[in-house]
Amino acid sequence: MISGLPGVVVVDDRQDELDSIKEAFFSAGIPCLPIRYHNGEPDNESGIDHVNISEWISPRIVVTDLNLTEVQGAKAPILVGPLAKMLKKLSMRGPYLLCIWSKLESEVADVVRLLEERHGDEINLPLHVSVIQKSKFLTDPEKLKEKISNLISESSLFDILLNWESRVSEAGRNAVATLYTIAQHNSAGNSAEERANELRKILGAIGNEAVGIKNANDNPAIAMETGLIPVLEDQIRSMPDVELFGKWKEAVPEIGKRQDIDDAIKSKLNTFFHVEEVEEGYPKDCRGVFVGINIDYLQVKENLLKFESRIGRKMKVLLHEEFLPKTDDNAEKRLREEARDETILGFLEISPACDYAQKKIKFPRYILGALVPEKYEVLTSLPNAQGVGNKAHEGIHRLPKIEVKGKIYIVKFSFKYQFGAQPHDNQWFGASLFRVRDQILSAITFSCSQYGSRPGIISFL
């Protein structure tokens, strides 16, 4: 059975057959958007341009006729083009189920193969393809209803992913419902405006306590996300489902077994779990944000000298000591010159989480970091007593490889160089590049605090 309410689109060029599949979905208790395909209109290239679907959630199920243009005796090479244009218009994101609702079921395999071969670079391809034969189900509404009700269970992987999406959505609804119940019970009167006022007060208090009043006023969206996400996580964990273990094991038998994945996938997964790419205008004092150095500012010799004076190192020396350790290899020396030009220096905001709350006015703190392109990875390691290390000293923290703006980097931070600054007053700061997520940021700040509190001893060797 279909759990939750994933977005469903049904497409057909014939109104009577579109009505049949639409009614079957409605009878199964599943809402859907029926779209009549328009064939042969010059200003309707996809056949569904007349429907404004740009603002609604990307569908998870697409049910479509195969011969959308009603070509007589059509074969796969002719059928695949209109299908691809229609799918591209729908702008699918993530996994979806493509269900072919057609009398030409014998052509489906070839159409899907051509869709993958010819259009894989321009459209999001389906995770699973199903077929509903018009000749078998069109005249039997009950069988059609049963087929649709069991559509998702044909793919256990698709089923469990939709189940997880549904759980997250339900957890969000539960959290909002709980807050509304609190507001309603605490409201002084019975009018809608009084309940709304009480709910606004509760939400305001959550945002204020999460990041502090001043910070909440500056960044209300961040304040509310910070305050509500822990509630959402708790709601998800408190939704028991005894069937989940078996469902996940069936859908992903690889769970619990060691997996070999290539470096490109590893970097994408590291990016997914550890960092979030942000717009250039993202707040530079947000906890965990990485702000690139202002190259334009440092192009002025006087400004560069001021920067070098503040950090106590020439730029070249800084890069070598902290991020691109020197060696005696002549080939690596030449490569290092290239790497210096392509390495991105910047600053990671590491203020303690408590600085955002307790009604404090935060003074942001940063550590120096560098993004070294993956092709220079050999320069980021150096020999040590145990073999090969990846840091010049104990004050260096190295992230797993991540991808930023389509390019893979080795990212290092140096605890030796810490700064306190209000970013709007600091001309060193350029654009925001990414935000380090809380889990990995906690590991960085913990290592930084350990480095800062390490004892010094007198030792005679």
Side-chain angles (χ1 to χ4, degrees):
M1 292 292 293
I2 294 179
S3 59
L5 296 174
V8 181
V9 172
V10 294
V11 181
D12 204 310
D13 64 304
R14 289 186 54 175
Q15 188 63 51
D16 58 338
E17 295 183 356
L18 180 63
D19 289 342
S20 295
I21 192 73
K22 176 191 70 175
E23 291 302 325
F25 270 100
F26 289 167
S27 297
I30 305 167
C32 67
L33 175 68
I35 301 177
R36 173 80 180 272
Y37 185 90
H38 287 193
N39 181 28
E41 296 180 359
D43 58 345
N44 197 345
E45 186 179 3
S46 73
I48 59 172
D49 288 349
H50 57 287
V51 179
N52 183 12
I53 55 174
S54 59
E55 299 300 324
W56 71 293
I57 297 175
S58 181
R60 283 287 180 256
I61 301 174
V62 178
V63 183
T64 178
D65 184 25
L66 190 58
N67 192 3
L68 291 167
T69 55
E70 291 294 328
V71 175
Q72 295 298 317
K75 295 295 182 181
I78 295 176
L79 296 170
V80 71
L83 176 63
K85 289 178 181 178
M86 185 269 292
L87 292 175
K88 186 176 182 180
K89 175 65 178 179
L90 287 174
S91 301
M92 249 79 64
R93 295 187 305 111
Y96 68 96
L97 186 154
L98 176 61
C99 179
I100 304 298
W101 157 249
S102 177
K103 298 172 184 175
L104 302 175
E105 56 268 18
S106 61
E107 297 294 325
V108 170
D110 285 341
V111 168
V112 172
R113 177 180 57 81
L114 291 176
L115 190 69
E116 294 168 344
E117 292 176 357
R118 297 180 180 181
H119 303 280
D121 293 336
E122 60 188 64
I123 66 171
N124 188 30
L125 295 169
L127 177 65
H128 180 70
V129 178
S130 182
V131 179
I132 299 180
Q133 302 174 26
K134 285 186 179 180
S135 55
K136 181 177 180 180
F137 291 98
L138 194 55
T139 56
D140 194 334
E142 283 303 311
K143 281 190 176 180
L144 182 56
K145 173 184 173 182
E146 182 182 355
K147 174 72 174 178
I148 286 172
S149 297
N150 294 291
L151 200 57
I152 288 179
S153 61
E154 292 180 9
S155 169
S156 60
L157 180 57
F158 187 67
D159 191 5
I160 194 64
L161 290 174
L162 279 188
N163 181 288
W164 187 79
E165 279 190 356
S166 176
R167 284 168 58 82
V168 173
S169 178
E170 184 179 349
R173 289 195 298 270
N174 289 344
V176 170
T178 299
L179 291 174
Y180 184 69
T181 299
I182 294 172
Q184 179 172 324
H185 289 169
N186 202 50
S187 177
N190 293 321
S191 71
E193 185 58 30
E194 287 169 320
R195 290 193 297 276
N197 285 337
E198 191 64 29
L199 183 58
R200 279 191 284 264
K201 288 180 182 179
I202 291 171
L203 292 172
I206 291 173
N208 291 343
E209 287 302 315
V211 302
I213 290 178
K214 181 182 183 302
N215 299 315
N217 183 62
D218 293 340
N219 297 296
I222 292 176
M224 292 313 307
E225 292 292 335
T226 303
L228 291 175
I229 283 175
V231 181
L232 176 65
E233 182 178 0
D234 181 71
Q235 288 287 337
I236 294 173
R237 295 185 184 280
S238 64
M239 294 166 56
D241 188 335
V242 294
E243 297 181 356
L244 277 183
F245 175 84
K247 287 182 176 180
W248 276 111
K249 200 64 180 176
E250 178 188 358
V252 191
E254 291 81 3
I255 293 175
K257 302 174 185 177
R258 185 175 295 278
Q259 303 299 316
D260 291 325
I261 54 178
D262 62 37
D263 289 342
I265 295 296
K266 287 179 182 178
S267 66
K268 291 182 183 297
L269 287 174
N270 287 329
T271 304
F272 176 74
F273 278 101
H274 300 318
V275 303
E276 171 199 8
E277 281 199 44
V278 297
E279 298 295 328
E280 290 186 2
Y282 190 82
K284 296 180 177 62
D285 60 349
C286 177
R287 186 168 187 262
V289 69
F290 183 85
V291 183
I293 202 164
N294 187 346
I295 298 297
D296 293 337
Y297 177 76
L298 295 184
Q299 290 293 333
V300 179
K301 185 176 181 180
E302 181 183 351
N303 295 337
L304 177 62
L305 291 175
K306 286 181 182 178
F307 176 78
E308 293 177 338
S309 175
R310 283 286 303 275
I311 63 175
R313 292 286 188 279
K314 293 288 186 182
M315 184 72 81
K316 179 178 176 180
V317 175
L318 173 69
L319 284 165
H320 285 171
E321 287 186 347
E322 303 301 308
F323 308 116
L324 300 169
K326 285 185 176 181
T327 70
D328 295 326
D329 188 296
N330 288 328
E332 286 191 4
K333 286 181 181 178
R334 291 190 295 271
L335 190 62
R336 184 167 283 104
E337 292 178 8
E338 298 177 19
R340 282 202 307 269
D341 293 335
E342 295 187 40
T343 294
I344 301 173
L345 279 179
F347 310 91
L348 177 71
E349 210 286 344
I350 60 163
S351 295
C354 61
D355 281 6
Y356 283 76
Q358 310 302 327
K359 303 176 178 62
K360 293 181 179 179
I361 296 176
K362 183 170 68 72
F363 185 62
R365 279 166 273 183
Y366 302 85
I367 55 175
L368 187 67
L371 277 64
V372 183
E374 182 189 34
K375 62 182 177 180
Y376 301 118
E377 182 172 14
V378 65
L379 303 176
T380 65
S381 303
L382 70 166
N384 60 24
Q386 288 73 41
V388 176
N390 58 24
K391 53 188 183 178
H393 56 79
E394 290 304 311
I396 295 290
H397 187 99
R398 177 168 172 159
L399 289 187
K401 291 179 188 177
I402 63 170
E403 185 175 307
V404 180
K405 300 190 185 306
K407 193 172 183 178
I408 298 175
Y409 291 95
I410 292 95
V411 183
K412 290 185 174 184
F413 301 109
S414 174
F415 303 144
K416 285 174 63 175
Y417 296 92
Q418 301 185 29
F419 311 90
Q422 292 295 352
H424 57 274
D425 290 333
N426 197 319
Q427 297 183 78
W428 295 359
F429 290 176
S432 300
L433 298 179
F434 59 85
R435 181 184 67 85
V436 175
R437 299 190 190 278
D438 287 345
Q439 185 180 43
I440 196 75
L441 185 63
S442 295
I444 293 170
T445 54
F446 178 73
S447 298
C448 186
S449 64
Q450 281 191 315
Y451 178 78
S453 61
R454 69 196 190 288
I457 60 172
I458 297 175
S459 178
F460 301 95
L461 301 177

